[in-house]
């Protein structure tokens, strides 16, 4: 079997690091041909020495430092701000792991899709902001999108070999986040540090706040809507604190298929890397008898109004998801900088969403304009 | 779309009745061409009048009664003891619902498989006794076997579109039966009536006793082993009292797919009838938030030694499953007739199993001989 050539965009974040751990397990199956990072120069240098990629991208600031430490004949160093699309479309690349955060991922994502690559996105923003455009382009070129996000991977796995026309709805599970059992009257008394101490996963600060407010789940609703061609009312969020069932699909005959696995992100990463095959894994198997109980509850849309807002945005669609994403990004940054309280995120974001003049079926230009507009509007409210 | 022609062997039992309920919902999709019953003459006559099958089979004793009540030009009445194979192989039959109990189902099952039909077995005995022969024949003729048993249907559904070589094991769920929370010291103080009052399903007496002793789950292990070509150690029984997850499959990459549905046997029956499509259904959807919690525990092989015995039999295989089935049938009948206590079933069956001289890869003749031998041996011990 030919080795798959992998480009990892965002190799020094947790998804990138775990992707390399998976590749370490199967050195005969994968070849790293490109890595990109932004500012974590030291780790990137260690990765370059170990995996010997043909290309490595970094920020402008780190460019000279990397250049001086890497053998230019073996590895071409380039700029993350301008060369990610080039890296994602290298002729020899089979799979692009899109592990970077933020809507800047849209450029390499779209480029890879246009080039007909297999893209494995862990990035949410690109799909939320321009999912319809990405999916339409993938359909045109035959590019395959295999999501890494555990929920989207679960839905993807459950739909394999099933008739898509027989899908009734998706049950998107949510762990419930740090605030699941906290009274909303206490939300604004929590410090940023308390919000950031997620009980289960170590993630970036922005996504941890979004997990606490359930905004992250709202983004996943929009992401699933785009990835699987669903209407907003065909997605139902189910709170499942154990996070063992990663999501479910319900068919028209009442049958539900669920994907379960231990909460280790290497599993969906490996699935995306090996798709359409599965590789064996050296991780402990899921033991439901040890877990004993899986529980389910409705999300509380009153305590978590950002989820309710996201569901509303998913329904109206068009340019609104881009607005939601941009407004939330600015508002969460303000929260992390202690400029606004937690519940103010909703106040600010919902005002911007309400004020936006919806563009139905926006093109890329209109999406980017909506994004810019929303950022400016949100800043005015902080 | 052409209507599917359905033969229902065992139309007056609960599976048969529910099959007709499903057909009632989709009269434009299914045509009943043959029905068979044994002694429930009145219900069979009502079914014949309603569904107008071309053939109807009954026992010798009921033959004249049916004959006198049915228009001979419209419906040919025949004998259940000799004509089921003919009914199962009628040229116009597309799907055979094998809903009758007992190992007598083997003859029509094998005939239908030889004729390349789609067979939907609810019957366990035929697969336990002669599963390898049935599956080998189905492979030869291209016959499709779509199980109706909710556990086997779940496994079947989870495996659709997956690479079979990537299957690691099956997690077969068990509700746990009437005795799940009863101390084994009390087992022999329970009356037959108490054993028969299963909390969840109304089933025949024999299968209710087998459910209480977990022998039924043992048979399902053997059935799954045959249907899906598994080794005994590739099947693990998991007690799941809510019976919402009907079974799961675990892949080599640690991913588990589960099939969930409300506990209504019309769902797997409908799936078997409409396979490879799914029809919409007018039953309430599964609501996990209303159910709240799904629990899992290891089966207690000390309190339920018949399950341990069945797992041992599954491992040794050959003619032993036929012996286990026959010995259990005789022993459970003796229990139902108040001749032996509940725990004596294990004593008797395990003695017969131990005494049997294993025939590896038995042919049909050897299987039937093992069955006969086991019945005689068991009777000697009662």
């Amino acid at each position: 079997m030919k080795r798959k050539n992998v480009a990892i965009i965002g190799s020094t974040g947790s998804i990138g690091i775990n992707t390399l751990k998976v590749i370490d397990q199967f050195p005969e199956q994968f070849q790293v041909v490109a890595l990109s990072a932004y500012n974590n120069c030291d780790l990137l240098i260690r990765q370059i020495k170990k995996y010997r990629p043909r290309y490595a991208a970094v920020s402008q600031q780190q460019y000279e430092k990397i250049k001086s430490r890497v053998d230019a004949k073996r590895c071409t160093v380039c700029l993350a701000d301008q060369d990610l699309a080039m890296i994602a479309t290298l002729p020899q690349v089979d799979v692009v792991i899109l592990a970077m955060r933020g809507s800047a991922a849209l450029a390499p994502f779209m480029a890879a899709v246009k080039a007909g690559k297999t893209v494995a996105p862990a990035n949410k923003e690109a799909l939320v902001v321009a999912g319809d455009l990405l999916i339409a382009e993938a359909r045109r070129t035959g590019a395959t999108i295999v999501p890494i996000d555990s929920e989207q991977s679960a839905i993807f796995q459950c739909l394999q070999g099933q008739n898509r026309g027989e899908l009734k709805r998706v049950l998107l599970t949510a762990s419930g986040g740090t605030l699941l059992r906290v009274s909303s009257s206490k939300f604004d008394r929590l410090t940023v540090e308390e919000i950031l101490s997620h009980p289960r996963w170590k993630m970036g600060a922005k996504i941890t706040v979004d997990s606490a407010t359930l905004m992250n789940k709202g983004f996943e609703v929009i992401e699933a809507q785009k990835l699987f061609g669903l209407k907003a009312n065909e997605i139902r969020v189910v709170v499942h604190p154990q996070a063992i069932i990663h999501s479910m699909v319900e068919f028209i005959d009442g049958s539900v298929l669920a994907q379960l696995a231990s909460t280790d992100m290497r599993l969906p990463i490996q699935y995306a890397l090996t798709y359409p095959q599965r590789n064996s894994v050296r991780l402990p198997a899921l033991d439901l008898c040890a877990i004993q109980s899986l529980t389910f509850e409705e999300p509380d849309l009153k305590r978590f109004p950002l989820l309710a807002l996201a569901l509303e945005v998913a329904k109206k669609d068009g340019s609104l998801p881009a607005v939601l994403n941009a407004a939330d990004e600015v508002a969460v940054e303000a929260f992390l900088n202690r400029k606004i309280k937690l519940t103010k995120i909703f106040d600010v974001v919902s005002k911007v969403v309400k004020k936006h003049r919806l563009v139905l079926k926006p093109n890329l230009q209109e999406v980017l304009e909506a994004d810019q507009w929303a950022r400016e509007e949100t800043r005015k409210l902080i």
Side-chain angles (χ1 to χ4, degrees), chain A residues 284-302:
Chain A
L286 180 66
D287 185 350
L288 284 172
C289 295
I291 294 164
Q292 292 184 332
S293 175
L294 303 179
T295 65
F296 307 92
E297 55 198 275
E298 302 279 359
D300 184 341
L301 296 179
K302 287 206 177 114

Side-chain angles (χ1 to χ4, degrees), chain A residues 245-285:
Chain A
I245 294 184
H246 294 303
S247 275
M248 298 172 256
V249 299
E250 182 182 328
F251 296 95
I252 53 171
D253 67 350
S255 190
V256 173
L257 290 187
Q259 192 263 351
L260 301 78
S262 44
T263 50
D264 188 312
M265 65 177 77
R266 282 174 289 178
L267 295 175
I269 291 171
Q270 179 176 311
Y271 182 81
L273 279 170
T274 63
Y275 176 82
Q277 267 86 49
R278 295 179 190 269
N279 270 0
S280 62
V281 80
R282 277 150 213 150
L283 299 172

Side-chain angles (χ1 to χ4, degrees), chain A residues 176-215:
Chain A
T178 334
L179 304 178
L180 180 61
R181 306 285 176 232
V182 178
S183 154
S184 53
S185 64
K186 292 189 182 144
F187 281 3
D188 282 341
R189 276 183 259 160
L190 292 167
T191 64
V192 170
E193 288 69 28
E194 283 168 324
I195 299 286
L196 291 185
S197 64
H198 190 285
R200 198 177 290 270
W201 294 283
K202 206 176 145 37
M203 304 177 292
K206 198 266 182 181
I207 195 170
T208 305
V209 175
D210 282 343
S211 292
T213 62
L214 293 195
M215 183 51 137

Side-chain angles (χ1 to χ4, degrees), chain A residues 52-70:
Chain A
R52 302 179 169 279
R54 270 307 286 125
Y55 294 84
V58 274
S59 67
Q60 183 85 53
Q61 291 147 295
Q62 307 290 335
Y63 181 76
E64 290 304 330
K65 184 173 170 191
I66 295 270
K67 266 276 204 192
S68 69
R69 304 270 303 273
V70 164

Side-chain angles (χ1 to χ4, degrees), chain A residues 9-30:
Chain A
I9 296 184
S11 67
T12 58
S14 68
I15 298 287
I17 290 168
N18 277 292
T19 302
L20 290 168
K21 278 187 193 164
V22 172
I23 289 174
D24 285 342
Q25 300 256 310
F26 307 99
E28 72 293 353
Q29 289 186 41
F30 303 104

